């Protein structure tokens, strides 16, 4: 394949189906795929919960119960406050991000070719490789960090921590304390979002580059990368979930 056509192929596959301009650009493909995956997650878990049986549990019920128990144990070990909201949140984050990541195993040309039949020029179905999605989720976690900081310490305690930790309560140290704590607060969602985005974006690029090879040469590197990537997919979802729990725990507890 010529260098120009190869560049065009890669560029084309990295374009989103978008509306709007500038800051208010909406990636329709990311939004639709995320909503569909979220509804699948909700539908499957709700259906299994309604049909749950202690006498003869189905295979999917056993699998879901194992996942729920595993995540509940992770929350119990890391978060020492009331976990009535944190445990379902951790489960939702893990499963939703896992489903996001699984989209990377679908052949890169499948959905673009299907959507071309409907006159849609660009489409990407991997939300994890869209910085808007990963940062949207991570900044939602930042809002929860602030909420749990106030919930665990009170508004006065949270304010005191912002201005008096870690260097001390002297008024001359307040600006330095506040600046350091704000940087730390912002760094948490940035690290969450960048870690997930970076890993999945790189994986998507590699799949696109493999697709540039002749069809007969795609199978070996494609299968090898997919097998390796199967390990990365749940690991990234797990890391995002665990760090969320840890950040909420640190926010809730007194320093």
């Amino acid at each position: 394949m010529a260098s120009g056509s190869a560049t065009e192929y890669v560029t084309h596959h990295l374009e989103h189906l978008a509306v709007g301009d500038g800051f208010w650009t909406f990636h329709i493909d990311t939004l639709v795929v995320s909503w569909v995956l979220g509804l699948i997650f909700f539908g499957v878990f709700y259906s299994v919960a309604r049909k749950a049986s202690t006498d003869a549990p189905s295979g999917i019920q056993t699998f879901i119960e194992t996942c729920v128990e595993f995540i509940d144990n992770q929350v119990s070990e890391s978060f020492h406050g009331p976990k009535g909201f944190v445990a379902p949140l951790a489960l939702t984050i893990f499963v939703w991000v896992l489903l996001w990541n699984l989209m990377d195993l679908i052949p890169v040309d499948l959905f673009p070719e299907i959507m071309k039949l409907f006159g849609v020029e660009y489409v990407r179905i991997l939300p994890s490789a869209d910085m808007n999605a990963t940062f949207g989720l991570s900044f939602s976690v930042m809002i929860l960090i602030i909420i749990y900081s106030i919930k665990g310490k009170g508004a006065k305690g949270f304010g005191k921590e912002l201005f008096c930790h870690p260097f001390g309560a002297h008024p001359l140290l307040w600006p330095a304390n506040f600046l350091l704590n704000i940087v730390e607060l912002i760094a948490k969602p940035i690290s969450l979002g960048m870690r997930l985005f970076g890993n999945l974006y790189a994986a998507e690029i590699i799949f696109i580059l493999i697709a540039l090879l002749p069809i007969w040469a795609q199978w070996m590197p494609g299968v090898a990368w997919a097998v390796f990537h199967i390990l990365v997919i749940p690991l990234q979802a797990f890391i995002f979930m665990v760090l969320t729990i840890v950040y909420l725990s640190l926010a809730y507890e007194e320093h």
Side-chain angles (χ1 to χ4, degrees):
M1 183 177 290
S3 175
S5 58
T7 302
E8 291 171 3
Y9 178 84
V10 173
T11 303
H12 181 274
H13 277 70
L14 295 178
E15 287 286 339
H16 284 279
L17 173 61
V19 295
D21 188 31
F23 179 81
W24 293 108
T25 300
F26 293 91
H27 292 172
I28 303 302
D29 42 15
T30 296
L31 292 171
V32 170
V33 172
S34 297
W35 272 97
V36 169
L37 294 176
L39 290 173
I40 290 172
F41 161 50
F42 175 79
V44 171
F45 273 62
Y46 180 74
S47 175
V48 171
R50 286 193 62 187
K51 300 175 182 177
S53 170
T54 56
D55 297 327
S58 62
I60 189 170
Q61 178 185 332
T62 302
F63 175 74
I64 288 177
E65 287 178 348
T66 303
C67 289
V68 171
E69 183 179 357
F70 172 74
I71 291 172
D72 187 67
N73 289 336
Q74 293 295 320
V75 174
S76 298
E77 291 174 3
S78 303
F79 186 80
H80 305 298
K83 61 177 185 177
F85 175 79
V86 176
L89 171 70
L91 176 66
T92 301
I93 287 176
F94 176 76
V95 177
W96 204 19
V97 173
L98 178 64
L99 292 176
W100 276 6
N101 296 350
L102 283 172
M103 294 298 100
D104 204 22
L105 297 179
I106 296 176
V108 294
D109 285 320
L110 180 60
F111 275 91
E113 292 300 323
I114 292 174
M115 296 307 293
K116 276 184 182 179
L117 300 176
F118 298 93
V120 177
E121 181 66 22
Y122 302 109
V123 64
R124 291 176 71 185
I125 62 165
L126 181 59
S128 309
D130 184 355
M131 194 178 294
N132 294 282
T134 60
F135 273 82
L137 188 58
S138 62
F139 276 101
S140 298
V141 172
M142 185 183 75
I143 293 172
L144 288 173
I145 290 173
I146 296 172
I147 292 173
Y148 269 81
S149 293
I150 296 173
K151 184 178 180 181
K153 308 177 184 78
K156 182 179 179 180
F158 177 53
K160 182 179 178 181
E161 184 178 85
L162 281 178
F163 287 93
C164 300
H165 178 81
F167 299 125
H170 194 283
L172 292 177
L173 298 174
W174 287 1
N177 288 331
F178 181 76
L179 179 61
L180 183 64
N181 282 306
I182 290 300
V183 169
E184 180 185 359
L185 180 65
I186 296 174
K188 289 174 180 176
I190 290 178
S191 65
L192 273 178
M194 284 298 296
R195 181 181 290 104
L196 180 60
F197 165 76
N199 279 278
L200 273 297
Y201 184 82
E204 183 186 35
I205 290 290
I206 291 175
F207 276 123
I208 292 173
L209 293 177
I210 291 173
L212 286 169
L213 300 172
I215 293 179
W216 60 268
Q218 292 179 13
W219 295 102
M220 184 174 293
V223 170
W225 181 242
V227 170
F228 171 76
H229 199 48
I230 287 173
L231 302 176
V232 175
I233 285 171
L235 178 62
Q236 290 304 316
F238 177 76
I239 291 173
F240 199 106
M241 177 200 71
V242 168
L243 287 179
T244 298
I245 299 170
V246 170
Y247 290 157
L248 292 180
S249 178
L250 292 173
Y252 187 79
E253 296 172 359
E254 292 280 353
H255 289 289

